[in-house]
C-alpha cells in the first residue's frame, strides 16, 4: 500500500511539471525516429498500407515525400493470367474465360459417357464400357436414362434430351408393370428423383418454373408424361411403406405384383429408410395428392422418437419392430444420407421451417454436435481433419476409417450454415451464429481432407475407403502411391479399398462450398479431379469405367459405368465451373442423387400437412 501511494504521488508530481512545449518537442523527435526507422524497412509495411501509400504518390505534388517515405518493394514481373495459372495452379485463380472452356469439357465428357451407353446399353440400367454391353443392376428400369435426363437439360445437350425423353415415354410405363424386385431407396432417388427433376426443368411445374436459370432455349421433355410415369412408379413404391407394420418401410418392392418385403436379414439401412422425403413431398405438391408426403414423412416423425447417441444413429433399422439394430455408427455407407435429409427436407419446406418441421433442423444440429464431439479427429503428422466411425457404439473403440461417401458432409454442413446463400451475404445480414461459423470451418477442413484422398494416390483419384494415421494408433498401412504428396503418411489405403466407382461426393461438396464461400480453390480442386477422371477412366469406344486400384499405374479397370457418374459427378462439375445463377442454392435443393427440386416457399405451393 505504502509503495503504491508513493508511486502515485510521484507520477502526479512529474505530470505537473510536464509543459506543452516539452510535449510538442517529444512528439517531433518520435515522429522523426519513426520515419527513419521505416525508410530502411522495405517489405515490412503490409500490402494494404503499401497500396494506400502508392496511390497517394501518384499525385504530382508529393514525389519527395515518396522517396523519403520508402522505396517501393521489388515485385515479381507481371505475367499473363495463363502463365500465372501454370506457375502456381492451386494458389491463383484461373481467368474467367478458362472456366467456360472447362465447363465445355465437362459437357463433352457427358456426351462421351452417353454415347457409350446409347450405343451399347440403351435401356439397360448401366453400361459395361469394356465389354460394350448393358447390365440391369438396379431392377431394369433404364436407370442411366432417367438419371441422365435432367443433367442433359441443364447442360443443354439437346440430342440426349430427345433420346432420353423418347425412351422414357415409349418404354418406362411398360417396364413398371413387367419388372420384378427393385430397391425402394435406389429407385426413389435415381428414377423417381430423375423424373421429378426433369418434370420441373421441363416447365411442368409452372408455379415454380422461373428460378432455375437453365437457358429457356434448352430442349425439354414432355412434363405431363413424366408426371404420369412418376405417379405410377410412386404408387407401386408406396407399398413398401403401407405394407410395413411400422413407419419404417420395407427395403424391397416387386413392381409387377405391387408387393413389398424386407431384405433377407429383415433389416433396412437407416440411410435408405430415411432418404425418401424430398421426392415424395414434391410429388404430393405437384400432383395435389398428399398420400406420398404423408407416408414418407411418417418415417422422420418416427425417427424423432428413437434414442440416439448425441444425435448419431446406428446404421441398421428393423422395419418389423421400428427399432435400431446393432450399434454401428458411421456417416459412410448405410448412414450417410440420413443426416443429409434431416437438413434438406427442412430446407425444402421453407414455409414450415419454424413450425411443424423445426424438429428436423434440431435433429440435424444435435447430430452435427455429436459428429464434432465423437467422430471428428486430426491425423498425424499433418493435422488433416476427418470423420471416423464407432463400430461398437459410444462405448466401443474409435475407428479412423472414412468412406469416400462421407465426403457429402462438407456440402451439407455448408448448406446448413448459410441455408444456401453466400457466406458474404450471410455475414452482411448477421445471419451466422458461432455454431454456423464453426460448422462452415469444419466443412472447409473436411473438403480439404476429401481432396487430399484424391491427390495422395498415383492416379489422382480417391479410393472407396481411407484410413487415417492418428496419435496412439500405431497400425500403419500402405499409402496411396503419390510419394510427393505432403499427406502420404497421414492417409492409408488398404488393398481391398482401392477401387473408385466414379463417385460424386467430393465434387458435390466442392460445388456447394464454391457457391457458398466463393473461394476459387474449390474450382481448381474440381478441375484437377476432372482431369484425373479424363486421364484414367475414359474409354475410347464410349463411356467411362470404374477403377479397381487407384494406387497403381496404369490403374486396372472395372467394367462398370455407374449411373451417378452422369446423374451426379458430371452435373456437379458442370455446375461448379458455371454461373452461380444456375440452380441457386437458396431456391433449389438437390436430392441425394443430385436431382434438383425447387424449394417450396409458400403454403399454397405445398400439400405438406401441418
Ligand atoms: C448415390 O446413389 C447417392 O449419392 C447416394 O446417396 C450415395 N451413393 C451414390 C453415389 O456415390
Amino acid at each position: 500500500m505504502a509503495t503504491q501511494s508513493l508511486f502515485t504521488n510521484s507520477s502526479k508530481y512529474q505530470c505537473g511539471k510536464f509543459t506543452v512545449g516539452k510535449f510538442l518537442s517529444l512528439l517531433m523527435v518520435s515522429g522523426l525516429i519513426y520515419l527513419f526507422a521505416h525508410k530502411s524497412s522495405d517489405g515490412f509495411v503490409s500490402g494494404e498500407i503499401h497500396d494506400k501509400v502508392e496511390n497517394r504518390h501518384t499525385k504530382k505534388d508529393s514525389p519527395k515525400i515518396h522517396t523519403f517515405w520508402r522505396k517501393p518493394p521489388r515485385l515479381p514481373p507481371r505475367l499473363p493470367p495463363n502463365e500465372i495459372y501454370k506457375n502456381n495452379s492451386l494458389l491463383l485463380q484461373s481467368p474467367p474465360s478458362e472456366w467456360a472452356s472447362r465447363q465445355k469439357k465437362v459437357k463433352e465428357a457427358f456426351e462421351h459417357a452417353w454415347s457409350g451407353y446409347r450405343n451399347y446399353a440403351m435401356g439397360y440400367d448401366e453400361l459395361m464400357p469394356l465389354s460394350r454391353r448393358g447390365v440391369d443392376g438396379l431392377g431394369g428400369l433404364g436407370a442411366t436414362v432417367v438419371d441422365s435426363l435432367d443433367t442433359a437439360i441443364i447442360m443443354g445437350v439437346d440430342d440426349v434430351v430427345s433420346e432420353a425423353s423418347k425412351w422414357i415415354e415409349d418404354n418406362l410405363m411398360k417396364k413398371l408393370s413387367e419388372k420384378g424386385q427393385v430397391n425402394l431407396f435406389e429407385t426413389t432417388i435415381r428414377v423417381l428423383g430423375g423424373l421429378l427433376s426433369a418434370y420441373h426443368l421441363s416447365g411442368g411445374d409452372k408455379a415454380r418454373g422461373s428460378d432455375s436459370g437453365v437457358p429457356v432455349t434448352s430442349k425439354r421433355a414432355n412434363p405431363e408424361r413424366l408426371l404420369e410415369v412418376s405417379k405410377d412408379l410412386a404408387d407401386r413404391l408406396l407399398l413398401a411403406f403401407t405394407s410395413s407394420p411400422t413407419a419404417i418401410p420395407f427395403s424391397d418392392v416387386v413392381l409387377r405384383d405391387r408387393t413389398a418385403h424386407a431384405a433377407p436379414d429383415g433389416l433396412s439401412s437407416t440411410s435408405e429408410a430415411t432418404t425418401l422425403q424430398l421426392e415424395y413431398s414434391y410429388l404430393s405438391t405437384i400432383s395435389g395428392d398428399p398420400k406420398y408426403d404423408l407416408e414418407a414423412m411418417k418415417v422422420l416423425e418416427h425417427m424423432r422418437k428413437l434414442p440416439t447417441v448425441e444425435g448419431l444413429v446406428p446404421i441398421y433399422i428393423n422395419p418389423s419392430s421400428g427399432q435400431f439394430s446393432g450399434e454401428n455408427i458411421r456417416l459412410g455407407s448405410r448412414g450417410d444420407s440420413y443426416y443429409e435429409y434431416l437438413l434438406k427436407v427442412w430446407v425444402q419446406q421453407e414455409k414450415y421451417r419454424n413450425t411443424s418441421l423445426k424438429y428436423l433442423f434440431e435433429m440435424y444440429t444435435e447430430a452435427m454436435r455429436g459428429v464434432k464431439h465423437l467422430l471428428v479427429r486430426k491425423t498425424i503428422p499433418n493435422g488433416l481433419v476427418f470423420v471416423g466411425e464407432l463400430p461398437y457404439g459410444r462405448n466401443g473403440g474409435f475407428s479412423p476409417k472414412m468412406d469416400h461417401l462421407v465426403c457429402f458432409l462438407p456440402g451439407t454442413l455448408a448448406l446448413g450454415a448459410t441455408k444456401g446463400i453466400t457466406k458474404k451475404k450471410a455475414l452482411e445480414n448477421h445471419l451466422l451464429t458461432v455454431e454456423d461459423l464453426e460448422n462452415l470451418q469444419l466443412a472447409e477442413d473436411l473438403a480439404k481432407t476429401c481432396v487430399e484422398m484424391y491427390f495422395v494416390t498415383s492416379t489422382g483419384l480417391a479410393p472407396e475407403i481411407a484410413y487415417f494415421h492418428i496419435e496412439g494408433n500405431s497400425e500403419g498401412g500402405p499409402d496411396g502411391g503419390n510419394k510427393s504428396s505432403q499427406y502420404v503418411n497421414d492417409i492409408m489405403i488398404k488393398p481391398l479399398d482401392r477401387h473408385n466407382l466414379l463417385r460424386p461426393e467430393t465434387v458435390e461438396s466442392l460445388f456447394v462450398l464454391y457457391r457458398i464461400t466463393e473461394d476459387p480453390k474449390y474450382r481448381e480442386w474440381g478441375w484437377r479431379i476432372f482431369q484425373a477422371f479424363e486421364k484414367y477412366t475414359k474409354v475410347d469406344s464410349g463411356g467411362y469405367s470404374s477403377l479397381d486400384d487407384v494406387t497403381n499405374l496404369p490403374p486396372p479397370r472395372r467394367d462398370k459405368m455407374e449411373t451417378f457418374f452422369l446423374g451426379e459427378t458430371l452435373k456437379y462439375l458442370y455446375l461448379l465451373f458455371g454461373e452461380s445463377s444456375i440452380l441457386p442454392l437458396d431456391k433449389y435443393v438437390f436430392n441425394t442423387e443430385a436431382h434438383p427440386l425447387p424449394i417450396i416457399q409458400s403454403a399454397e405451393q405445398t400439400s405438406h400437412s401441418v
Side-chain angles (χ1 to χ4, degrees):
M1 284 286 277
T3 328
Q4 195 186 345
S5 127
L6 269 175
F7 175 77
T8 317
N9 288 340
S10 139
S11 300
K12 276 185 197 154
Y13 175 69
Q14 293 295 335
C15 281
K17 287 175 66 179
F18 201 77
T19 63
V20 174
K22 281 182 184 167
F23 173 74
L24 287 175
S25 321
L26 191 65
L27 205 65
M28 258 176 64
V29 172
S30 328
L32 283 171
I33 291 170
Y34 177 83
L35 288 177
F36 278 115
H38 284 72
K39 184 174 184 281
S40 56
S41 62
D42 273 354
F44 193 71
V45 181
S46 78
E48 198 188 342
I49 295 173
H50 167 68
D51 285 345
K52 284 182 192 151
V53 172
E54 287 296 283
N55 286 341
R56 262 212 319 266
H57 295 319
T58 52
K59 290 182 189 158
K60 276 186 196 143
D61 58 356
S62 54
K64 279 185 190 149
I65 300 175
H66 179 196
T67 323
F68 177 67
W69 181 257
R70 66 191 293 275
K71 279 187 195 160
R74 279 172 178 272
L75 295 172
R78 285 202 162 189
L79 295 172
N82 280 339
E83 291 302 310
I84 293 175
Y85 176 71
K86 270 185 226 150
N87 286 349
N88 202 346
S89 65
L90 282 185
L91 294 178
L92 295 171
Q93 211 180 138
S94 303
S97 59
E98 194 75 14
W99 292 111
S101 84
R102 289 175 183 179
Q103 196 189 36
K104 194 160 159 269
K105 295 225 159 52
V106 179
K107 184 173 169 177
E108 286 161 10
F110 175 78
E111 289 167 329
H112 184 79
W114 176 263
S115 76
Y117 173 76
R118 183 203 46 219
N119 292 343
Y120 305 117
M122 189 70 189
Y124 285 93
D125 281 334
E126 294 132 330
L127 167 69
M128 297 175 74
L130 307 180
S131 48
R132 299 184 201 172
R133 60 198 167 94
V135 59
D136 278 339
L138 294 159
L141 299 178
T144 293
V145 183
V146 194
D147 229 359
S148 302
L149 178 55
D150 65 350
T151 308
I153 295 173
I154 292 163
M155 291 182 179
V157 188
D158 289 350
D159 293 352
V160 178
V161 178
S162 301
E163 288 161 6
S165 49
K166 182 167 181 348
W167 185 91
I168 291 168
E169 284 172 29
D170 294 351
N171 300 283
L172 193 49
M173 207 71 147
K174 187 159 174 284
K175 283 194 184 278
L176 292 179
S177 62
E178 288 172 358
K179 289 293 176 183
Q181 183 173 310
V182 295
N183 174 280
L184 168 69
F185 162 77
E186 297 293 359
T187 313
T188 299
I189 65 165
R190 300 188 201 212
V191 183
L192 184 60
L195 291 169
L196 294 173
S197 177
Y199 166 85
H200 174 79
L201 296 174
S202 298
D205 178 15
K206 300 229 165 38
R208 286 157 288 270
S210 56
D211 291 332
S212 77
V214 174
V216 280
T217 48
S218 300
K219 196 162 173 58
R220 311 291 159 120
N222 176 348
E224 285 78 33
R225 189 72 178 142
L226 293 174
L227 181 56
E228 197 185 343
V229 185
S230 300
K231 283 197 287 184
D232 188 316
L233 173 59
D235 286 343
R236 292 169 197 272
L237 295 177
L238 223 49
L239 267 299
F241 300 87
T242 53
S243 45
S244 165
T246 69
I248 301 303
F250 287 138
S251 60
D252 298 308
V253 172
V254 182
L255 291 171
R256 63 172 168 258
D257 299 348
R258 293 182 187 264
T259 59
H261 57 264
D265 61 2
L267 301 177
S268 297
S269 299
T270 303
S271 63
E272 293 195 3
T274 56
T275 306
L276 306 158
Q277 293 71 23
L278 291 181
E279 298 79 0
Y280 292 103
S281 293
Y282 182 59
L283 180 57
S284 276
T285 301
I286 58 176
S287 68
D289 188 339
K291 69 181 175 190
Y292 309 106
D293 175 63
L294 281 172
E295 291 301 331
M297 288 306 293
K298 274 185 202 166
V299 183
L300 296 181
E301 280 146 21
H302 176 84
M303 297 301 291
R304 184 185 186 180
K305 296 180 215 133
L306 297 183
T308 69
V309 176
E310 299 187 23
L312 306 177
V313 295
I315 59 170
Y316 287 107
I317 192 160
N318 189 326
S320 298
S321 66
Q323 300 301 309
F324 290 121
S325 175
E327 294 190 88
N328 193 343
I329 288 173
R330 65 175 178 234
L331 270 77
S333 63
R334 302 182 190 279
D336 48 6
S337 48
Y338 161 71
Y339 305 95
E340 181 186 351
Y341 268 37
L342 287 180
L343 177 71
K344 287 186 172 177
V345 175
W346 177 84
V347 165
Q348 182 191 34
Q349 305 285 344
E350 193 168 325
K351 179 74 182 172
Y352 297 108
R353 286 184 193 172
N354 291 322
T355 53
S356 57
L357 296 184
K358 196 169 170 215
Y359 75 97
L360 291 174
F361 192 71
E362 288 166 355
M363 287 168 77
Y364 164 78
T365 304
E366 190 193 2
M368 291 308 108
R369 287 179 191 159
V371 167
K372 285 180 275 187
H373 183 209
L374 298 172
L375 302 181
V376 169
R377 297 276 181 97
K378 276 189 182 178
T379 64
I380 52 171
N382 290 305
L384 282 177
V385 175
F386 71 97
V387 176
E389 302 182 359
L390 293 174
Y392 306 102
R394 184 209 285 272
N395 300 319
F398 174 84
S399 168
K401 161 181 177 273
M402 184 165 117
D403 294 350
H404 181 273
L405 287 166
V406 180
C407 292
F408 81 94
L409 189 60
T412 297
L413 280 165
L415 180 68
T418 72
K419 287 71 185 174
I421 61 175
T422 61
K423 180 183 179 187
K424 185 164 172 273
K425 190 170 167 193
L427 283 171
E428 280 165 7
N429 292 291
H430 310 289
L431 296 174
L432 298 182
T433 63
V434 171
E435 191 164 9
D436 291 330
L437 286 168
E438 190 182 284
N439 285 353
L440 194 49
Q441 185 56 52
L442 177 60
E444 298 216 49
D445 293 343
L446 289 173
K448 158 96 180 142
T449 302
C450 288
V451 296
E452 296 303 342
M453 281 167 65
Y454 284 71
F455 304 156
V456 82
T457 71
S458 314
T459 54
L461 290 169
E464 179 73 356
I465 298 167
Y467 284 79
F468 294 89
H469 198 190
I470 52 171
E471 199 74 58
N473 185 337
S474 52
E475 194 192 334
D479 61 50
N482 176 10
K483 305 289 181 201
S484 63
S485 162
Q486 186 194 339
Y487 301 101
V488 71
N489 296 319
D490 295 66
I491 301 176
M492 288 156 289
I493 304 172
K494 297 189 178 180
L496 290 177
D497 304 335
R498 291 175 177 168
H499 48 294
N500 179 297
L501 305 182
L502 310 167
R503 284 198 192 276
E505 290 75 18
T506 296
V507 295
E508 164 186 349
S509 284
L510 297 182
F511 156 68
V512 178
L513 274 164
Y514 176 69
R515 286 283 180 95
I516 284 173
T517 66
E518 302 174 283
D519 186 335
K521 78 177 174 211
Y522 295 114
R523 277 181 154 182
E524 302 290 358
W525 287 346
W527 176 240
R528 259 177 92 173
I529 291 171
F530 174 72
Q531 287 175 295
F533 277 129
E534 282 292 282
K535 187 164 180 188
Y536 293 114
T537 70
K538 192 169 187 170
V539 177
D540 288 344
S541 52
Y544 289 76
S545 74
S546 302
L547 299 178
D548 264 338
D549 185 351
V550 293
T551 68
N552 262 318
L553 289 179
R557 289 171 179 264
R558 186 176 282 195
D559 196 8
K560 179 74 113 35
M561 180 173 76
E562 299 284 347
T563 78
F564 46 70
F565 186 61
L566 294 92
E568 297 194 68
T569 311
L570 293 176
K571 182 188 287 151
Y572 281 130
L573 283 165
Y574 181 85
L575 292 172
L576 172 64
F577 300 155
E579 299 292 327
S580 296
S581 54
I582 309 294
L583 299 165
L585 291 178
D586 57 343
K587 300 275 189 313
Y588 283 85
V589 60
F590 287 75
N591 89 337
T592 195
E593 189 74 7
H595 297 302
L597 299 171
I599 290 174
I600 314 296
Q601 279 157 336
S602 70
E604 301 76 57
Q605 291 181 313
T606 184
S607 64
H608 176 72
S609 53
V610 194

